[in-house]
Amino acid sequence: MALGEFELIERYFKRPVRRAALGVGDDCALLTPAPGMQLAVSTDLLVEGRHFLSTVDPARLGHKSLAVNLSDLAACGARPLAFTLSLSMPRVDEAFLAPFAQGLLALADEHQIELVGGDTTAGPLTIGITVMGEVPPGQALLRSGALVGDDVWISGMLGHARLALEVFRGQLQLSGEAFEHARRAMECPQPRVALGLALRGVATSAIDLSDGLLGDLGHVLRRSGVGAQLRLADLPRSALMAEQQDEVQALCLLTGGDDYELLFTAPPSRRDAVRAAAQEAATPVTLVGSLCAGDGVQVLGAGGVPLDLSGRQAFDHFRS
Amino acid sequence: MALGEFELIERYFKRPVRRAALGVGDDCALLTPAPGMQLAVSTDLLVEGRHFLSTVDPARLGHKSLAVNLSDLAACGARPLAFTLSLSMPRVDEAFLAPFAQGLLALADEHQIELVGGDTTAGPLTIGITVMGEVPPGQALLRSGALVGDDVWISGMLGHARLALEVFRGQLQLSGEAFEHARRAMECPQPRVALGLALRGVATSAIDLSDGLLGDLGHVLRRSGVGAQLRLADLPRSALMAEQQDEVQALCLLTGGDDYELLFTAPPSRRDAVRAAAQEAATPVTLVGSLCAGDGVQVLGAGGVPLDLSGRQAFDHFRS
């Protein structure tokens, strides 16, 4: 007989309660936020064929489902506390569930957070996670705080997930090893939680790069009422990326999507503080441009000539 | 051109921030819980064809998607604060979205809660909501607090949603007016939030009836380590239900599902307090049985003879 809904939760997702006052199994979970903290809440929905391929390793899918949500907390400078999981699956498939739960809960353990509630049902494979974190009042990193003259910074490397996507789409060829590297970036993103925490009080704004650099930077610019100038040559790229044709590099770096790096802004007077935060979080950061009066993004290419960005847009889950 | 993800959220779901410190549109929403309160969190996922029919009125679907989540807070005795929405749809369909948002947000307004975050994507029609509420520490109504000798109470009426389902399945015929009445119960359940709040300090345990009386009562009994005896004749039923054949009544009342009434327990010495709470919440309640030592449920039928309940089980979203 197939596992029912309750046995499924019991077997794969129920664990001893640690920080929550009450965990999985009642009508609600109960959390006790630290006194005086604000609660940061974010939610993401992953649909098969749209956000992941049916061939993905379930453990990596479990990891990524939580990682993309933790990335939102990171961009807010919030410390993760707990999450809920909604899982719709065509049938109870233990060969899927066991590694999925393992990948999901391993990342949860890494960040010392608990799964406090969930819902499972039959249906198309869909994963919904809502994550909760805490941040002292007034210290959250918002999209709206960037100022003219601020530096623009990016954590880590950009574009690997897009490289892997182009291989899956048959638009690009990579060696086996290079493809594995790019695919790992796409399937196992590392949320920059430690960096987000270290940037409290340092960054004037932050966002996580999920839809591509141009699109996500655009959100910060609109919210903050400023423009930006970036230098293409300054964008952080790996040796693998540097080997690609110029056009592929520009595509992956500027509009790649699925990077889950942080883009943040800070005054030039705080460069030492930014570098100290990056060191504390053991996360590389790169200075890629600056904010100016006006709106929109100008990207300077070879010889300081602005690139024509018309036709390049952010990834939209209803359009792409 | 079709609406994109950002315009969609802007047009249908973004509203002025009221109680949240920061609403929709950043990486996270920010909430400021009242000092000293615990946070109650619950999540539910609704899938087309499983939890609702493709023919359902979108406004009713919006209402129900939030109602089933508020019902979990009600069963916990928590006051609703805010919710997040994850919405996957085959395409951006404004004829669906406008009434869906209207039904959803009307119920949110009724309970003075805010939509603080969300994610929309293309995919099979799936609605995921996570709701957050607050409750003073130690006052949450849990499944585990029921005691031998307690009364068992139920709010409202049972079984109308199941009557409607049996009509949709072609197993039952009802007059047009009766069907509309039953269908409204299935599609527009009213979460018993006021009753849950009024029962703090009165009820020893509570659960909301989503999977059917026998199954949900079973959760309370297992968590509390007690058994229960109910009288079938005492179960609350409408005039419409009382007209049905005995077998149909037993099916709908005992295993119906989708009722979203509260089942709760309280000592016989608190009957006046229970009735006062029900009056305060303007919600009818009915005394239907009592708890005893042992485990499982015994239901007494005509002449006090126990019913044979073998083969009757709770609704399971992977089995039914």
Side-chain angles (χ1 to χ4, degrees):
Chain A
M1 191 156 104
L3 270 184
E5 187 172 353
F6 300 104
E7 296 95 322
L8 185 164
I9 293 169
E10 188 79 27
R11 181 171 307 178
Y12 291 109
F13 296 109
K14 195 171 172 183
R15 309 172 107 196
V17 171
R18 290 175 302 184
R19 296 169 65 202
L22 179 74
V24 171
D26 212 293
D27 295 294
C28 296
L30 294 176
L31 296 175
T32 310
M37 286 291 207
Q38 283 187 325
L39 197 74
V41 181
S42 185
T43 195
D44 266 304
L45 190 66
L46 283 79
V47 175
E48 180 175 290
R50 172 80 32 182
H51 302 91
F52 58 91
L53 304 170
S54 60
T55 52
V56 69
D57 170 1
R60 288 189 173 188
L61 182 59
H63 171 100
K64 184 168 178 176
S65 301
L66 182 56
V68 302
N69 279 281
L70 289 176
S71 182
D72 285 315
L73 288 184
C76 217
R79 183 181 302 283
L81 286 178
F83 68 106
T84 62
L85 169 69
S86 289
L87 185 58
S88 148
M89 294 175 289
R91 60 197 172 82
V92 176
D93 174 358
E94 300 196 51
F96 169 85
L97 272 169
F100 176 84
Q102 182 268 320
L104 178 84
L105 296 176
L107 185 65
D109 285 345
E110 204 176 299
H111 292 273
Q112 296 183 282
I113 65 171
E114 269 170 280
L115 174 61
V116 295
D119 192 21
T120 56
T121 187
L125 186 56
T126 307
I127 301 148
I129 286 184
T130 300
V131 74
M132 285 152 282
E134 62 183 18
V135 59
Q139 292 192 32
L141 306 176
L142 305 184
R143 298 178 181 181
S144 54
L147 298 167
V148 170
D150 279 355
D151 292 330
V152 179
W153 299 81
I154 288 173
S155 68
M157 302 285 175
L158 297 180
H160 279 180
R162 183 59 176 266
L163 276 184
L165 183 64
E166 294 300 320
V167 173
F168 278 117
R169 285 175 170 171
Q171 302 290 313
L172 187 73
Q173 288 199 317
L174 291 178
S175 73
E177 196 184 345
F179 175 58
E180 260 318 306
H181 187 68
R183 183 177 185 169
R184 169 169 284 274
M186 180 170 78
E187 294 177 348
C188 285
Q190 296 302 323
R192 299 302 194 180
V193 173
L195 181 62
L197 292 173
L199 287 171
R200 284 184 192 166
V202 176
T204 52
S205 75
I207 192 170
D208 73 316
L209 296 176
S210 54
D211 295 339
L213 172 56
L214 289 183
D216 288 323
L217 175 56
H219 294 310
V220 172
L221 301 182
R222 275 190 298 279
R223 285 306 195 86
S224 298
V226 295
Q229 197 176 60
L230 305 183
R231 295 166 295 272
L232 184 59
D234 288 349
L235 294 179
R237 74 199 75 190
S238 65
L240 169 61
M241 184 62 71
E243 288 170 8
Q244 308 303 315
Q245 292 178 0
D246 286 351
E247 187 52 33
V248 172
Q249 287 192 42
L251 173 80
C252 293
L253 296 173
L254 293 173
T255 65
D258 252 5
D259 289 309
Y260 303 104
E261 295 295 348
L262 293 190
L263 177 148
F264 59 96
T265 58
S269 61
R270 303 304 305 278
R271 284 182 189 169
D272 285 349
V274 168
R275 293 200 178 96
Q279 188 156 18
E280 184 189 331
T283 307
V285 298
T286 307
L287 180 56
V288 300
S290 61
L291 300 183
C292 51
D295 56 22
V297 188
Q298 191 179 55
V299 181
L300 303 182
V305 180
L307 300 187
D308 176 9
L309 301 177
S310 57
R312 294 193 196 268
Q313 48 176 309
F315 193 80
D316 184 312
H317 281 119
F318 282 107
R319 288 195 177 122
S320 301
Chain B
M1 192 154 104
L3 272 184
E5 187 171 355
F6 300 104
E7 295 94 320
L8 185 163
I9 293 169
E10 188 79 27
R11 182 171 308 179
Y12 292 108
F13 296 109
K14 194 170 171 183
R15 308 172 107 196
V17 171
R18 290 175 302 185
R19 295 168 67 200
L22 179 73
V24 171
D26 212 294
D27 295 293
C28 296
L30 295 175
L31 297 176
T32 309
M37 286 292 208
Q38 283 187 326
L39 196 73
V41 181
S42 185
T43 196
D44 266 304
L45 189 66
L46 284 80
V47 175
E48 180 175 291
R50 173 78 32 182
H51 302 91
F52 58 91
L53 303 171
S54 60
T55 52
V56 69
D57 170 359
R60 287 189 173 186
L61 182 59
H63 171 99
K64 184 168 178 176
S65 301
L66 182 57
V68 302
N69 279 280
L70 290 176
S71 182
D72 285 315
L73 288 183
C76 217
R79 183 181 301 283
L81 285 178
F83 68 106
T84 62
L85 168 70
S86 289
L87 185 58
S88 148
M89 293 174 290
R91 61 197 172 80
V92 176
D93 174 358
E94 301 196 52
F96 170 85
L97 272 169
F100 176 84
Q102 182 268 320
L104 179 83
L105 297 176
L107 185 64
D109 286 345
E110 203 176 299
H111 292 273
Q112 296 183 283
I113 65 170
E114 270 170 278
L115 175 61
V116 295
D119 192 21
T120 56
T121 186
L125 187 55
T126 308
I127 301 147
I129 287 184
T130 300
V131 75
M132 285 152 281
E134 60 184 18
V135 60
Q139 292 193 33
L141 306 176
L142 305 184
R143 298 178 180 181
S144 53
L147 298 167
V148 170
D150 279 355
D151 291 331
V152 179
W153 298 81
I154 289 174
S155 68
M157 302 286 176
L158 297 181
H160 278 180
R162 183 60 177 263
L163 277 184
L165 183 64
E166 294 299 321
V167 174
F168 278 117
R169 284 175 170 169
Q171 302 292 314
L172 187 72
Q173 288 199 318
L174 291 178
S175 73
E177 196 183 344
F179 175 58
E180 260 319 305
H181 187 68
R183 183 177 183 170
R184 169 171 281 274
M186 179 170 80
E187 295 177 347
C188 286
Q190 296 301 324
R192 299 301 195 181
V193 172
L195 181 63
L197 292 172
L199 286 172
R200 284 183 192 165
V202 176
T204 52
S205 75
I207 191 169
D208 72 315
L209 296 176
S210 54
D211 295 339
L213 172 56
L214 290 183
D216 288 322
L217 174 56
H219 294 309
V220 172
L221 300 183
R222 275 189 299 278
R223 284 308 193 86
S224 298
V226 295
Q229 196 174 59
L230 305 183
R231 295 167 294 272
L232 183 60
D234 289 350
L235 295 179
R237 75 199 74 189
S238 65
L240 170 60
M241 182 64 70
E243 288 170 8
Q244 308 304 314
Q245 292 179 359
D246 287 351
E247 187 51 36
V248 172
Q249 288 191 39
L251 173 80
C252 293
L253 296 173
L254 293 174
T255 65
D258 251 5
D259 289 309
Y260 303 104
E261 296 295 347
L262 293 190
L263 177 148
F264 59 96
T265 59
S269 61
R270 305 303 305 278
R271 284 181 189 170
D272 285 349
V274 168
R275 293 200 178 96
Q279 188 156 18
E280 183 189 331
T283 306
V285 298
T286 306
L287 179 57
V288 300
S290 61
L291 300 182
C292 51
D295 57 21
V297 188
Q298 190 177 54
V299 180
L300 303 181
V305 180
L307 300 187
D308 175 9
L309 300 178
S310 57
R312 293 194 195 268
Q313 47 174 310
F315 193 80
D316 184 311
H317 280 122
F318 281 108
R319 289 195 177 123
S320 301

